Amino acid sequence: MKLPEPILKFARLLPHKLTLVLTVVILAGFVRVPIENSLLKNLRSEGFLPQHQASSATEQIGVQGFIGILGGLRYMVATFFTLKANAFWETQDWDQLEEKYRLVMLLQPRDAESWATGAWHLYANASAWYRLDDRTLPEPLREPRAKEYERRGEAILRQGIKWNPHDPWLWRDLGGVYRERFKDPCATAQIYLEASRIPNAPSFFYRFYAYQLAKCPGEEKKAYEVLMRIYEQGKQVLIQQGVMVWRPTLIVSIRDLEEKLGIPQSQRIPERVENERMRIISPIRP
Protein backbone atom coordinates (compact mmCIF):
# COMPACT_ATOMS: atom_id res chain seq x y z
CA MET A 1 0.00 0.00 0.00
CA LYS A 2 1.53 3.31 -1.09
CA LEU A 3 1.18 6.22 1.33
CA PRO A 4 0.11 9.65 0.06
CA GLU A 5 2.98 12.04 -0.68
CA PRO A 6 2.04 14.58 2.10
CA ILE A 7 2.26 11.78 4.69
CA LEU A 8 5.61 10.67 3.28
CA LYS A 9 6.95 14.20 3.50
CA PHE A 10 5.78 14.41 7.08
CA ALA A 11 7.45 11.10 7.96
CA ARG A 12 10.80 12.27 6.57
CA LEU A 13 10.90 14.93 9.26
CA LEU A 14 10.87 12.31 12.01
CA PRO A 15 13.68 10.19 13.52
CA HIS A 16 14.10 6.79 11.87
CA LYS A 17 12.66 4.69 14.73
CA LEU A 18 9.72 7.00 15.19
CA THR A 19 9.08 6.83 11.45
CA LEU A 20 8.78 3.03 11.60
CA VAL A 21 6.31 3.20 14.46
CA LEU A 22 4.39 5.96 12.76
CA THR A 23 4.16 4.01 9.51
CA VAL A 24 2.48 1.10 11.30
CA VAL A 25 0.07 3.45 13.01
CA ILE A 26 -0.71 5.19 9.72
CA LEU A 27 -1.52 1.93 7.97
CA ALA A 28 -3.88 1.02 10.81
CA GLY A 29 -5.25 4.50 10.82
CA PHE A 30 -6.32 4.38 7.17
CA VAL A 31 -8.81 1.71 8.16
CA ARG A 32 -10.58 3.90 10.68
CA VAL A 33 -10.13 7.35 9.11
CA PRO A 34 -13.34 7.19 6.99
CA ILE A 35 -15.34 6.24 10.09
CA GLU A 36 -13.80 9.00 12.21
CA ASN A 37 -14.15 11.54 9.41
CA SER A 38 -17.85 10.76 9.18
CA LEU A 39 -18.23 11.13 12.95
CA LEU A 40 -16.31 14.44 13.00
CA LYS A 41 -18.39 15.70 10.08
CA ASN A 42 -21.60 14.93 11.96
CA LEU A 43 -20.32 16.58 15.14
CA ARG A 44 -19.28 19.65 13.19
CA SER A 45 -22.63 19.90 11.38
CA GLU A 46 -24.36 19.81 14.75
CA GLY A 47 -22.17 22.63 16.07
CA PHE A 48 -20.10 20.57 18.51
CA LEU A 49 -16.80 21.23 16.73
CA PRO A 50 -15.58 24.31 14.84
CA GLN A 51 -14.64 24.23 11.19
CA HIS A 52 -10.94 23.49 10.94
CA GLN A 53 -8.74 26.49 10.23
CA ALA A 54 -6.56 26.60 7.13
CA SER A 55 -2.77 26.69 7.18
CA SER A 56 0.00 25.33 4.99
CA ALA A 57 -0.07 22.11 7.00
CA THR A 58 -3.81 21.68 7.27
CA GLU A 59 -4.33 22.34 3.58
CA GLN A 60 -2.02 19.45 2.69
CA ILE A 61 -3.28 16.85 5.13
CA GLY A 62 -6.51 17.98 6.79
CA VAL A 63 -7.22 18.12 10.50
CA GLN A 64 -9.61 15.18 10.68
CA GLY A 65 -7.51 12.74 8.71
CA PHE A 66 -4.24 13.80 10.30
CA ILE A 67 -5.51 13.48 13.86
CA GLY A 68 -7.32 10.25 13.05
CA ILE A 69 -4.19 8.70 11.60
CA LEU A 70 -1.85 9.60 14.46
CA GLY A 71 -4.31 8.72 17.22
CA GLY A 72 -2.53 8.31 20.55
CA LEU A 73 0.84 9.35 19.10
CA ARG A 74 -0.25 12.96 18.71
CA TYR A 75 1.23 14.13 22.00
CA MET A 76 4.60 12.47 21.37
CA VAL A 77 4.90 13.81 17.84
CA ALA A 78 3.80 17.29 18.96
CA THR A 79 6.51 17.26 21.63
CA PHE A 80 9.07 16.33 19.00
CA PHE A 81 8.07 19.24 16.78
CA THR A 82 8.09 21.62 19.76
CA LEU A 83 11.71 20.64 20.42
CA LYS A 84 12.52 21.13 16.75
CA ALA A 85 10.90 24.57 16.85
CA ASN A 86 13.01 25.56 19.85
CA ALA A 87 16.13 24.58 17.92
CA PHE A 88 15.10 26.94 15.11
CA TRP A 89 14.56 29.66 17.71
CA GLU A 90 18.22 29.37 18.65
CA THR A 91 19.27 29.72 14.99
CA GLN A 92 16.73 32.48 14.24
CA ASP A 93 15.18 30.47 11.40
CA TRP A 94 11.74 31.95 11.97
CA ASP A 95 10.00 30.43 8.95
CA GLN A 96 11.01 26.92 10.00
CA LEU A 97 10.00 27.69 13.57
CA GLU A 98 6.55 28.80 12.42
CA GLU A 99 6.11 25.69 10.28
CA LYS A 100 6.98 23.40 13.17
CA TYR A 101 4.58 25.18 15.49
CA ARG A 102 1.90 24.96 12.81
CA LEU A 103 2.32 21.21 12.94
CA VAL A 104 2.11 21.26 16.75
CA MET A 105 -1.10 23.25 16.53
CA LEU A 106 -2.44 20.86 13.94
CA LEU A 107 -1.75 17.94 16.26
CA GLN A 108 -3.13 19.64 19.39
CA PRO A 109 -5.52 22.39 18.32
CA ARG A 110 -7.14 22.46 21.79
CA ASP A 111 -3.83 23.18 23.51
CA ALA A 112 -4.01 26.95 23.93
CA GLU A 113 -0.44 27.12 25.21
CA SER A 114 0.91 25.93 21.85
CA TRP A 115 -0.91 28.70 20.02
CA ALA A 116 0.25 31.30 22.55
CA THR A 117 3.88 30.19 22.42
CA GLY A 118 4.03 29.92 18.64
CA ALA A 119 2.50 33.37 18.26
CA TRP A 120 4.85 34.86 20.87
CA HIS A 121 7.90 33.63 18.99
CA LEU A 122 6.72 35.52 15.92
CA TYR A 123 5.29 38.79 17.23
CA ALA A 124 7.92 39.21 19.97
CA ASN A 125 11.10 37.28 19.19
CA ALA A 126 11.16 37.34 15.40
CA SER A 127 10.10 40.98 15.18
CA ALA A 128 12.73 42.00 17.75
CA TRP A 129 15.37 40.05 15.85
CA TYR A 130 14.72 41.92 12.63
CA ARG A 131 14.52 45.30 14.35
CA LEU A 132 17.55 45.00 16.60
CA ASP A 133 19.87 42.13 15.68
CA ASP A 134 19.66 41.08 12.05
CA ARG A 135 22.41 42.55 9.91
CA THR A 136 21.79 40.54 6.75
CA LEU A 137 18.92 42.75 5.57
CA PRO A 138 19.35 46.35 4.46
CA GLU A 139 18.11 48.68 7.17
CA PRO A 140 15.04 49.95 5.20
CA LEU A 141 13.75 46.36 4.99
CA ARG A 142 14.10 45.46 8.66
CA GLU A 143 11.07 47.31 10.01
CA PRO A 144 8.69 45.98 7.32
CA ARG A 145 9.94 42.46 8.03
CA ALA A 146 9.44 42.96 11.77
CA LYS A 147 5.88 44.14 11.18
CA GLU A 148 5.24 41.14 8.96
CA TYR A 149 6.09 38.77 11.80
CA GLU A 150 3.93 40.74 14.21
CA ARG A 151 1.04 40.19 11.82
CA ARG A 152 1.86 36.50 11.55
CA GLY A 153 1.80 36.20 15.32
CA GLU A 154 -1.53 38.01 15.45
CA ALA A 155 -2.96 35.62 12.86
CA ILE A 156 -1.91 32.61 14.93
CA LEU A 157 -3.56 34.05 18.04
CA ARG A 158 -6.81 34.66 16.16
CA GLN A 159 -6.75 31.15 14.78
CA GLY A 160 -6.03 29.78 18.26
CA ILE A 161 -8.98 31.72 19.65
CA LYS A 162 -11.27 30.10 17.10
CA TRP A 163 -10.19 26.70 18.39
CA ASN A 164 -10.17 27.80 22.05
CA PRO A 165 -12.74 30.61 22.29
CA HIS A 166 -13.08 30.39 26.07
CA ASP A 167 -9.38 30.58 26.89
CA PRO A 168 -8.93 34.09 28.36
CA TRP A 169 -5.15 34.17 28.02
CA LEU A 170 -5.17 33.96 24.22
CA TRP A 171 -7.47 36.98 24.26
CA ARG A 172 -5.10 38.72 26.68
CA ASP A 173 -2.15 38.08 24.37
CA LEU A 174 -4.09 39.34 21.35
CA GLY A 175 -4.98 42.51 23.24
CA GLY A 176 -1.33 42.93 24.17
CA VAL A 177 -0.29 42.67 20.51
CA TYR A 178 -2.70 45.43 19.52
CA ARG A 179 -1.75 47.56 22.52
CA GLU A 180 2.03 47.21 22.43
CA ARG A 181 2.80 46.31 18.81
CA PHE A 182 0.11 47.95 16.70
CA LYS A 183 -0.52 50.92 19.02
CA ASP A 184 -4.24 50.72 18.26
CA PRO A 185 -6.22 51.55 21.42
CA CYS A 186 -9.59 51.39 19.67
CA ALA A 187 -9.08 47.83 18.42
CA THR A 188 -7.46 46.88 21.72
CA ALA A 189 -10.50 48.11 23.63
CA GLN A 190 -12.82 45.92 21.57
CA ILE A 191 -10.62 42.86 22.09
CA TYR A 192 -10.67 43.34 25.86
CA LEU A 193 -14.42 43.92 25.77
CA GLU A 194 -14.93 40.63 23.95
CA ALA A 195 -12.57 38.93 26.38
CA SER A 196 -14.48 40.29 29.38
CA ARG A 197 -17.60 38.45 28.19
CA ILE A 198 -15.95 35.04 28.41
CA PRO A 199 -17.39 32.99 31.29
CA ASN A 200 -15.16 33.35 34.36
CA ALA A 201 -12.93 35.90 32.61
CA PRO A 202 -10.60 37.85 34.94
CA SER A 203 -12.19 41.09 36.10
CA PHE A 204 -9.27 43.19 34.90
CA PHE A 205 -10.27 42.59 31.27
CA TYR A 206 -13.15 45.02 31.68
CA ARG A 207 -10.89 47.62 33.31
CA PHE A 208 -8.39 47.24 30.48
CA TYR A 209 -11.24 47.76 28.04
CA ALA A 210 -12.07 51.05 29.76
CA TYR A 211 -8.43 52.18 29.91
CA GLN A 212 -7.94 51.60 26.18
CA LEU A 213 -11.30 53.13 25.32
CA ALA A 214 -10.16 56.29 27.13
CA LYS A 215 -7.29 56.54 24.61
CA CYS A 216 -9.53 56.02 21.59
CA PRO A 217 -10.29 59.32 19.83
CA GLY A 218 -13.99 60.16 19.97
CA GLU A 219 -14.78 57.63 22.70
CA GLU A 220 -13.86 59.80 25.69
CA LYS A 221 -17.42 60.26 26.92
CA LYS A 222 -18.25 56.56 26.74
CA ALA A 223 -14.95 55.71 28.43
CA TYR A 224 -15.69 58.19 31.22
CA GLU A 225 -19.07 56.56 31.85
CA VAL A 226 -17.51 53.08 31.99
CA LEU A 227 -14.71 54.20 34.28
CA MET A 228 -17.12 55.96 36.60
CA ARG A 229 -19.21 52.79 36.91
CA ILE A 230 -16.08 50.91 37.94
CA TYR A 231 -15.22 53.73 40.35
CA GLU A 232 -18.66 53.69 41.97
CA GLN A 233 -18.56 49.90 42.35
CA GLY A 234 -15.22 50.24 44.10
CA LYS A 235 -16.58 52.99 46.32
CA GLN A 236 -19.38 50.75 47.52
CA VAL A 237 -16.89 48.00 48.35
CA LEU A 238 -14.83 50.52 50.30
CA ILE A 239 -17.80 51.82 52.28
CA GLN A 240 -19.35 48.43 52.99
CA GLN A 241 -16.25 46.27 53.50
CA GLY A 242 -13.44 48.72 54.19
CA VAL A 243 -11.43 47.29 51.30
CA MET A 244 -9.96 49.44 48.54
CA VAL A 245 -10.19 47.79 45.12
CA TRP A 246 -9.32 50.81 42.98
CA ARG A 247 -6.12 50.83 40.95
CA PRO A 248 -4.04 54.00 40.47
CA THR A 249 -4.56 53.74 36.69
CA LEU A 250 -8.31 53.98 37.24
CA ILE A 251 -8.02 57.23 39.18
CA VAL A 252 -5.48 58.72 36.76
CA SER A 253 -7.63 57.81 33.73
CA ILE A 254 -10.71 59.39 35.26
CA ARG A 255 -8.83 62.58 36.13
CA ASP A 256 -7.47 62.85 32.60
CA LEU A 257 -10.96 62.48 31.13
CA GLU A 258 -12.37 65.02 33.58
CA GLU A 259 -9.95 67.54 32.10
CA LYS A 260 -10.63 66.57 28.48
CA LEU A 261 -14.41 66.59 28.90
CA GLY A 262 -14.50 69.71 31.06
CA ILE A 263 -16.34 68.01 33.93
CA PRO A 264 -17.38 70.67 36.52
CA GLN A 265 -15.30 70.65 39.71
CA SER A 266 -18.35 69.82 41.81
CA GLN A 267 -18.86 66.57 39.82
CA ARG A 268 -15.27 65.38 39.81
CA ILE A 269 -14.04 62.52 41.97
CA PRO A 270 -12.87 63.79 45.38
CA GLU A 271 -9.31 63.96 46.60
CA ARG A 272 -10.31 61.91 49.65
CA VAL A 273 -12.81 59.15 50.21
CA GLU A 274 -13.63 58.45 53.84
CA ASN A 275 -15.58 55.92 55.84
CA GLU A 276 -15.64 55.08 59.52
CA ARG A 277 -12.46 53.03 59.42
CA MET A 278 -10.13 54.67 56.92
CA ARG A 279 -9.34 57.63 54.72
CA ILE A 280 -8.22 57.09 51.13
CA ILE A 281 -6.22 59.82 49.37
CA SER A 282 -6.67 59.54 45.60
CA PRO A 283 -3.42 59.83 43.62
CA ILE A 284 -3.34 62.73 41.19
CA ARG A 285 -0.53 61.07 39.22
CA PRO A 286 1.41 57.84 39.70
Side-chain angles (χ1 to χ4, degrees):
M1 179 178 183
K2 184 178 180 181
L3 298 178
E5 184 60 26
I7 302 298
L8 292 174
K9 290 181 179 179
F10 173 75
R12 294 187 193 110
L13 297 172
L14 302 173
H16 180 65
K17 290 183 179 179
L18 184 57
T19 301
L20 293 176
V21 175
L22 182 61
T23 301
V24 175
V25 175
I26 287 175
L27 291 173
F30 275 118
V31 176
R32 72 173 199 264
V33 165
I35 300 173
E36 293 189 354
N37 281 351
S38 177
L39 175 60
L40 287 168
K41 183 177 180 181
N42 291 336
L43 290 173
R44 187 163 285 117
S45 66
E46 295 296 328
F48 291 104
L49 294 174
Q51 295 295 325
H52 70 270
Q53 308 305 315
S55 72
S56 59
T58 59
E59 287 170 352
Q60 290 183 34
I61 306 171
V63 173
Q64 300 101 313
F66 195 76
I67 291 177
I69 289 170
L70 288 179
L73 282 178
R74 281 185 297 150
Y75 178 79
M76 182 174 65
V77 178
T79 300
F80 168 76
F81 280 120
T82 300
L83 294 174
K84 291 285 288 184
N86 288 333
F88 288 120
W89 177 22
E90 295 175 358
T91 60
Q92 289 80 49
D93 190 339
W94 306 110
D95 289 338
Q96 284 293 329
L97 180 145
E98 180 181 6
E99 181 62 25
K100 296 303 174 286
Y101 263 104
R102 287 284 184 183
L103 288 167
V104 173
M105 298 161 196
L106 172 64
L107 291 163
Q108 300 185 113
R110 301 297 185 187
D111 178 22
E113 185 64 27
S114 295
W115 296 97
T117 304
W120 170 71
H121 277 302
L122 299 183
Y123 70 72
N125 295 329
S127 65
W129 164 258
Y130 284 110
R131 281 196 178 97
L132 304 175
D133 298 318
D134 182 37
R135 294 296 178 265
T136 61
L137 282 179
E139 188 170 349
L141 298 180
R142 293 178 196 163
E143 183 63 21
R145 182 65 63 86
K147 290 184 180 297
E148 174 193 342
Y149 278 93
E150 288 173 345
R151 287 293 180 186
R152 288 193 194 184
E154 177 224 357
I156 287 178
L157 286 174
R158 289 193 177 279
Q159 191 174 356
I161 286 171
K162 289 181 179 179
W163 279 103
N164 305 273
H166 298 303
D167 185 278
W169 309 116
L170 288 175
W171 286 95
R172 178 204 57 186
D173 291 351
L174 183 63
V177 169
Y178 273 83
R179 185 183 70 247
E180 302 295 335
R181 306 286 168 170
F182 301 159
K183 309 296 183 184
D184 188 341
C186 302
T188 304
Q190 291 306 306
I191 290 169
Y192 282 128
L193 179 60
E194 289 296 320
S196 71
R197 294 168 176 165
I198 298 174
N200 301 317
S203 60
F204 69 79
F205 281 177
Y206 192 70
R207 290 202 312 275
F208 281 17
Y209 155 65
Y211 297 157
Q212 293 299 310
L213 194 65
K215 300 175 183 178
C216 183
E219 298 290 348
E220 291 84 0
K221 184 176 180 180
K222 183 177 181 180
Y224 177 73
E225 294 171 354
V226 174
L227 288 167
M228 285 304 298
R229 284 200 298 270
I230 298 173
Y231 176 87
E232 291 298 331
Q233 291 169 359
K235 184 177 179 180
Q236 292 302 312
V237 173
L238 174 63
I239 293 173
Q240 295 172 8
Q241 303 178 28
V243 177
M244 188 186 74
V245 295
W246 292 323
R247 301 294 188 273
T249 306
L250 174 69
I251 305 300
V252 171
S253 298
I254 291 175
R255 291 193 180 282
D256 286 344
L257 289 175
E258 287 174 338
E259 292 294 331
K260 290 180 181 179
L261 296 172
I263 303 298
Q265 287 292 336
S266 61
Q267 298 177 21
R268 297 188 179 190
I269 60 175
E271 290 292 335
R272 291 175 174 81
V273 177
E274 301 181 22
N275 69 3
E276 297 177 354
R277 288 166 285 181
M278 65 178 65
R279 173 180 295 178
I280 301 298
I281 302 177
S282 299
I284 296 177
R285 288 290 182 271

